[in-house]
Amino acid sequence: GQQLNQSPQSMFIQEGEDVSMNCTSSSIFNTWLWYKQDPGEGPVLLIALYKAGELTSNGRLTAQFGITRKDSFLNISASIPSDVGIYFCAGQTNFGNEKLTFGTGTRLTIIP
Amino acid sequence: DTGVSQDPRHKITKRGQNVTFRCDPISEHNRLYWYRQTLGQGPEFLTYFQNEAQLEKSRLLSDRFSAERPKGSFSTLEIQRTEQGDSAMYLCASTIQGPDTQYFGPGTRLTVL
């Protein structure tokens, strides 16, 4: 099945550093979502974006819906140990009620 | 009700056996989705229900797979004659009709030996 292109594939950072990751698609989405997944668990919603150009924050997390509607990015500021995990972007073609198309994931590791 | 629940959390089976998973969505969420996630990949859509009606099925859902939501509440996903390629995490998500987002359960990890 289709998967969105997510980069980087993995990141190794020190605690306190800022993190940036992005997601691109060949097709347009009306909604972009960012999820975090811990090992053996389901994805947990972090941020939802509904409008092209929208910039939304959730604590130390900031995400933007690209103007072209084909991309999105997620920033994490001042990383802490609990930020470790896999981050997935996901797109929806209809508002709120269609299947999600996920990215390939970015694995975040914090080096002690 | 604090979230989507799935049962079992882990299932180990031998090739050729049938398995069934259950998903209980968030109360009053009338849309329910099944996804499959293989190691190192993002979840991939399998099928979804609005109430008891199955509205869409992915090409990933072969004839050996069947999903039901008989009363519009919980759902089951059955895999017949399992193959080693069926080994994956099976995720369920639910949402309420209207502008909203999908909330995922913890998943069922299937291992086919």
Side-chain angles (χ1 to χ4, degrees):
Chain A
Q2 178 193 4
Q3 296 234 303
L4 306 177
N5 297 313
Q6 212 172 321
S7 65
Q9 193 172 32
S10 60
M11 302 183 73
F12 296 85
I13 63 169
Q14 292 189 322
E15 185 176 349
E17 287 188 23
D18 297 343
V19 170
S20 184
M21 60 190 78
N22 64 65
C23 189
T24 59
S25 169
S26 57
S27 52
I28 288 172
F29 289 105
N30 290 326
T31 304
W32 282 93
L33 306 161
W34 285 91
Y35 287 85
K36 178 174 181 281
Q37 187 174 30
D38 293 327
E41 299 294 330
V44 174
L45 181 67
L46 299 173
I47 288 181
L49 303 154
Y50 298 102
K51 190 185 298 184
E54 178 181 357
L55 186 71
T56 297
S57 292
N58 178 8
R60 295 178 296 106
L61 277 59
T62 302
Q64 184 159 28
F65 191 140
I67 290 291
T68 65
R69 295 199 283 163
K70 292 183 178 182
D71 62 342
S72 177
F73 72 76
L74 175 71
N75 285 342
I76 305 173
S77 62
S79 58
I80 59 177
S82 62
D83 291 335
V84 166
I86 304 177
Y87 291 80
F88 289 100
C89 62
Q92 286 181 322
T93 52
N94 292 336
F95 287 107
N97 287 308
E98 268 293 343
K99 59 191 175 188
L100 295 175
T101 301
F102 278 85
T104 49
T106 294
R107 181 182 293 275
L108 179 62
T109 303
I110 294 183
I111 306 168
Chain B
D1 190 336
T2 57
V4 179
S5 61
Q6 292 187 246
D7 183 70
R9 293 292 307 275
H10 304 274
K11 179 70 176 178
I12 300 174
T13 191
K14 293 183 179 178
R15 186 162 48 99
Q17 297 295 304
N18 299 343
V19 294
T20 300
F21 311 140
R22 177 181 170 123
C23 170
D24 286 90
I26 294 172
S27 298
E28 299 178 354
H29 277 196
N30 61 350
R31 292 202 177 209
L32 186 149
Y33 300 77
W34 285 98
Y35 292 83
R36 182 174 71 184
Q37 185 177 24
T38 54
L39 204 60
Q41 300 295 316
E44 292 179 286
F45 169 79
L46 291 178
T47 187
Y48 90 90
F49 293 83
Q50 180 174 335
N51 299 311
E52 65 276 8
Q54 189 172 16
L55 296 185
E56 186 175 346
K57 293 192 287 187
S58 160
R59 287 174 297 175
L60 293 175
L61 213 67
S62 76
D63 291 345
R64 297 183 297 106
F65 287 70
S66 63
E68 293 183 343
R69 196 183 182 198
K71 297 182 180 179
S73 56
F74 72 92
S75 176
T76 58
L77 177 67
E78 181 183 16
I79 309 175
Q80 295 182 326
R81 305 180 304 282
T82 53
E83 302 172 355
Q84 287 185 326
D86 296 332
S87 295
M89 173 82 91
Y90 289 85
L91 293 162
C92 175
S94 71
T95 186
I96 195 166
Q97 192 167 6
D100 207 338
T101 52
Q102 293 180 29
Y103 293 89
F104 283 81
T108 294
R109 167 77 63 190
L110 173 65
T111 302
V112 182
L113 302 176

